[in-house]
Amino acid sequence: MPVVTVIAGQAGGRGLRGLGFSEPHPELAVMFRSVTRAAPRNVDWTFKELRNSFIVPSRIAESDAGGEGPHDLSVTSDQNFCVAASEDIELIIDAIAVQSAPPTAARILVFQIAKASADELVCVAESFTGEAHVGMVFRPVGLPDVEVRLTSLSWYPPRPETQRRGPLAKVTLVGKGAGMIGRKELLVSLPGADAHE
C-alpha cells in the first residue's frame, strides 16, 4: 500500500485535517474514494485532489471554497465534530490497511529530453517502480489529459556516476501531447492499457 502522511496542524495559517499521500498514486484514487464513502460512521468524508491529494471530512472540504485549506476555522473548533472525525479517521486507516495491493504501476521520471515534437518525446528516463516495457501506456502526473505509449526502450548499463539513481533508459513516448511532457515529469503506467510487443 502507498505511504501516507498524516496531516494534522496548520497549513499557511489555516487548519488542515486528513491524510496526505507522500507520492502520487493515481491508480489508487478509486480505492481511496470508495473507502471514504464506506468506512466512516460519524461524519461524511471526501477524497480531495488539489496540489496534494488527501482524505478530509466533507464539512472541512466544503468550507475550503477551493483553496488549499479551510477558511472557516470554526469547523475545527467544534469539539463534537473533531471527536467524531478522529474516530472515523481510525476506521479509514484500518480500511485502507486491509485493501489488497493492486498491481504495482510502473513509474518513470523524465531525466533528460533528447528530442520533442507535438506527438513524440525521445528522452532519458529513470525507472522508479514496476517494470516498464514497450507497449505500456503512461500518464504524466502533472498532465492528466495526456496519455502516451512507450514505443521503444533501451536500458543503459549501470555506471559509477549513475549508481545513486534508478536504472536509466532511452525511451520514446508517442501520443497526443507528448511534446508537453517536460524534464522531471513523473509518468505512471495505466493498469490494463498496455500490450506486450
Side-chain angles (χ1 to χ4, degrees):
M1 291 309 310
V3 175
V4 296
T5 304
V6 175
I7 300 173
Q10 297 295 316
R14 298 178 302 214
L16 179 62
R17 305 290 185 265
L19 293 175
F21 304 97
S22 58
E23 66 177 81
H25 290 274
E27 71 275 13
L28 297 176
V30 172
M31 184 272 296
F32 289 124
R33 283 187 184 93
S34 173
V35 166
T36 58
R37 283 190 305 270
R41 294 188 185 135
N42 300 307
V43 298
D44 290 330
W45 289 74
T46 300
F47 175 67
K48 192 166 184 178
E49 297 177 281
L50 296 169
R51 183 172 41 111
N52 293 315
S53 298
F54 54 96
I55 296 171
V56 63
S58 298
R59 183 172 160 191
I60 293 176
E62 290 163 5
S63 74
D64 177 22
E68 291 292 321
H71 297 279
D72 179 8
L73 293 181
S74 66
V75 169
T76 57
S77 64
D78 176 347
Q79 291 302 300
N80 291 333
F81 170 78
C82 290
V83 168
S86 293
E87 291 172 4
D88 277 354
I89 198 70
E90 295 297 327
L91 296 171
I92 291 170
I93 291 168
D94 290 345
I96 290 171
V98 298
Q99 297 295 311
S100 59
T104 302
R107 290 176 179 77
I108 59 174
L109 178 72
V110 175
F111 182 67
Q112 185 177 34
I113 296 175
K115 180 177 81 170
S117 66
D119 297 332
E120 182 181 62
L121 176 70
V122 179
C123 63
V124 175
E126 179 180 356
S127 176
F128 280 115
T129 60
E131 187 174 321
H133 59 266
V134 171
M136 291 181 92
V137 176
F138 286 85
R139 179 176 292 148
V141 171
L143 301 167
D145 296 331
V146 174
E147 289 184 9
V148 292
R149 185 169 299 277
L150 179 61
T151 60
S152 74
L153 172 67
S154 176
W155 293 103
Y156 292 114
R159 297 176 56 173
E161 62 269 20
T162 61
Q163 283 185 348
R164 71 183 202 297
R165 302 192 156 282
L168 297 175
K170 180 179 179 184
V171 301
T172 303
L173 300 163
V174 176
K176 186 177 179 182
M180 295 169 44
I181 298 170
R183 187 172 177 272
K184 295 188 178 181
E185 186 77 52
L186 178 66
L187 292 95
V188 179
S189 65
L190 301 178
D194 65 85
H196 291 279
E197 293 182 3

